[in-house]
Amino acid sequence: MKILVVGGGGREHAMVWKLAQSPRKPILFCAPGNAGIASLAVCVPIKADDVAALKAFVIREQIDLTVVGPEAPLALGIADEFRRAKLRIFGPTKAAARLEASKTFSKEVMARVSIPTATAKSFDKTSEALAYVDQHELPIVVKADGLAQGKGVVIATTREQASRAVIDAMDNAVFGEAGRQVLIEQFLDGEELTIMAFTDGRTVVPMLPAQDHKRVGDGDSGLNTGGMGAYAPAPIGTPELRLRVTREILEPVVQGLSRMGSPFQGVLYAGLMIVKGVPYVLEFNARMGDPETQVVLPLLKTELLDVIEAVVDHRLDQLAVEWHDHAAVCVVMTAGGYPGRYENGLPIRGLDFESNRQMIVFHAGTTEAAGRVVTAGGRVLGVTGIGKSLGEAKELAYRRVKQLGFDRCHYRTDIADRALRASR
Ligand code: AMP
Ligand code: GLY
């Protein structure tokens, strides 16, 4: 069986790594992949959002199954295009992926099926957005409507900050088209939790709850990033909460989209804020999270390929999805300056140290140049430790992190600490 994974970050490395463990021994391709993925799959130099070139490749190479990692190709309609050509693909259609690609649409769906979320208003005129900021209580959250790689959100504690965020997005176009429309949202104070689920449009199978660390610095300081680390299972995602999120959030959304004529097939990601025990939706994504995938997939006991095929063939109700009774912690190592400007091409040290089943180095932004692995992105590596407890998993992850390095490398030192403190 030939499988193409689309993407080239830490999430895709984790997906390829998991698929490579299948006893069915699939032949793996990845577009565009990275220096780490290259040890497990044939990397194909096609950009993840070049839908036409991906389709041509899949037809030419007779690929049996395409698995989409990132949001961009989904938002461009790769799943629609492939299904029209009778090519098997794991991922939602363009219409269903709007749940992520348009925050305004996502709020409409949530309102339709009565899902608790922050109250929000969307604006396409700067003057109206600024007038709203003036009246609203603080803090206030300003979000670009479209895709901005996790960086399109500003939590403003002053009106000046909020106004600047509005002007930057709408007039200065710092997020390009994605920020022409903004959403201004009530601030929710609580604890964040990610619950992703596999769904074939009918059955919803939640994964283990994970917690991401969005801010660049220790103690949740500094700017928002794509994600600086994660751990799973997150203790606040108790079995009761997971069931509640499945029944009251994930299933209603999946059913609602089906009723609207846009059934969702793939991974539905709910970014939640738990406020006094009640889950509120901050955002939906139409794909697996990064870095959440790097902690959740290593704990999946059922073969990933079996799950993916059950989704694609609409028979997820017939599969029991099981998890290992372990914990995982992933620490993301970034280029100095990220999420702002940073340098590429820096040689990475320590990759040849032993990795084993308990310490896995997932590559995110890496490439090979003149026989060396060098940095090629803001998030460079995601180092996952797997242990019997979160404490052990954290210990293992940082042990491996300390063996790695590159100039101006940065990482947070407090991944999973919130959960570890709470359990003491
Ligand atoms: P989003 O891309 O919408 O998930 O937002 C990115 C991050 O901003 C979230 O993970 C939260 O940390 C924070 N955030 C977003 N919306 C809110 C909100 N309404 N209240 C508090 N924090 C928020
Ligand atoms: N870790 C957040 C995301 O993947 O959107």
Side-chain angles (χ1 to χ4, degrees):
M1 180 178 199
K2 287 182 171 180
I3 303 177
L4 172 69
V5 174
V6 177
R11 166 185 47 215
E12 289 76 23
H13 192 176
M15 292 165 107
V16 166
W17 171 84
K18 194 74 186 174
L19 288 168
Q21 291 165 18
S22 166
R24 287 194 264 166
K25 300 258 177 285
I27 303 169
L28 296 166
F29 297 83
C30 190
N34 60 37
I37 293 173
S39 65
L40 299 167
V42 178
C43 291
V44 188
I46 303 176
K47 289 210 173 75
D49 59 0
D50 190 347
V51 175
L54 291 168
K55 184 175 152 193
F57 174 79
V58 161
I59 293 171
R60 191 171 67 241
E61 283 293 329
Q62 300 187 317
I63 301 288
D64 300 292
L65 173 68
T66 300
V67 179
V68 185
E71 58 276 20
L74 296 168
L76 289 169
I78 189 172
D80 310 63
E81 185 79 22
F82 274 45
R83 287 202 192 101
R84 263 198 299 276
K86 300 263 183 294
L87 303 170
R88 291 175 93 212
I89 186 162
F90 177 76
T93 60
K94 180 175 183 170
R98 282 182 72 208
L99 211 51
E100 170 168 9
S102 166
K103 291 195 188 284
T104 304
F105 173 74
S106 163
K107 288 282 183 189
E108 276 165 24
V109 174
M110 285 189 250
R112 220 184 248 238
V113 295
S114 308
I115 286 174
T117 181
T119 46
K121 240 174 114 70
S122 90
F123 297 91
D124 50 22
K125 289 205 182 65
T126 313
S127 56
E128 289 173 12
L130 291 174
Y132 186 76
V133 163
D134 264 343
Q135 298 157 11
H136 207 284
E137 61 182 277
L138 296 166
I140 189 170
V141 185
V142 180
K143 298 185 174 185
D145 178 74
L147 300 177
Q149 300 189 316
K151 298 168 205 160
V153 175
V154 173
I155 296 170
T157 48
T158 66
R159 285 188 211 291
E160 293 67 41
Q161 259 180 344
S163 305
R164 198 171 340 110
V166 166
I167 291 167
D168 276 349
M170 299 183 84
D171 292 352
N172 300 339
V174 295
F175 306 113
E177 277 306 304
R180 293 275 173 227
Q181 198 173 2
V182 299
L183 216 74
I184 301 183
E185 189 170 287
Q186 165 201 16
F187 175 75
L188 294 175
D189 197 6
E191 198 169 342
E192 279 189 71
L193 184 68
T194 298
I195 297 191
M196 301 184 275
F198 296 106
T199 179
D200 59 3
R202 254 182 329 163
T203 305
V204 173
V205 176
M207 302 185 211
L208 290 180
Q211 196 165 49
D212 188 6
H213 297 62
K214 293 258 163 72
R215 302 296 193 98
V216 71
D218 278 359
D220 293 329
S221 59
L223 292 173
N224 259 321
T225 68
M228 295 296 297
Y231 63 92
I236 57 159
T238 58
E240 296 74 44
L241 186 73
R242 197 148 60 118
L243 189 65
R244 179 169 180 186
V245 168
T246 307
R247 292 283 142 75
E248 296 177 11
I249 294 173
L250 299 167
E251 287 176 353
V253 167
V254 166
Q255 288 155 7
L257 284 169
S258 288
R259 276 198 305 275
M260 289 162 72
S262 315
F264 191 104
Q265 178 251 69
V267 170
L268 177 58
Y269 168 124
L272 306 165
M273 188 70 89
I274 314 300
V275 186
K276 299 193 177 82
V278 180
Y280 286 76
V281 173
L282 288 181
E283 64 164 347
F284 284 117
N285 291 327
R287 41 136 185 114
M288 296 200 71
D290 191 339
E292 289 94 328
T293 302
Q294 292 90 304
V295 290
V296 169
L297 282 189
L299 301 177
L300 177 64
K301 196 183 213 172
T302 309
E303 209 192 308
L304 177 61
L305 183 50
D306 288 348
V307 184
I308 288 177
E309 290 204 296
V311 167
V312 173
D313 299 338
H314 301 283
R315 49 176 174 76
L316 194 53
D317 58 335
Q318 291 161 34
L319 190 73
V321 177
E322 296 183 309
W323 301 91
H324 291 293
D325 187 17
H326 279 73
V329 171
C330 175
V331 178
V332 174
M333 302 177 75
T334 69
Y338 173 83
R341 291 169 61 90
Y342 57 83
E343 201 181 330
N344 281 327
L346 303 166
I348 303 173
R349 299 181 291 273
L351 285 170
D352 42 5
F353 272 74
E354 55 129 2
S355 286
N356 55 37
R357 296 192 75 81
Q358 286 188 293
M359 292 189 269
I360 313 160
V361 179
F362 292 119
H363 289 223
T366 70
T367 192
E368 213 174 294
R372 295 171 87 176
V373 178
V374 299
T375 66
R379 291 192 290 178
V380 177
L381 301 170
V383 181
T384 297
I386 297 166
K388 291 225 177 334
S389 64
L390 276 175
E392 190 191 3
K394 179 185 170 189
E395 214 277 299
L396 288 163
Y398 279 105
R399 195 190 297 172
R400 187 72 183 92
V401 163
K402 295 207 170 81
Q403 301 165 339
L404 294 155
F406 45 88
D407 283 357
R408 298 194 62 213
C409 158
H410 166 73
Y411 57 87
R412 278 180 64 160
T413 62
D414 62 348
I415 305 301
D417 279 1
R418 194 194 291 259
L420 292 170
R421 264 198 308 275
S423 69
R424 251 177 229 142

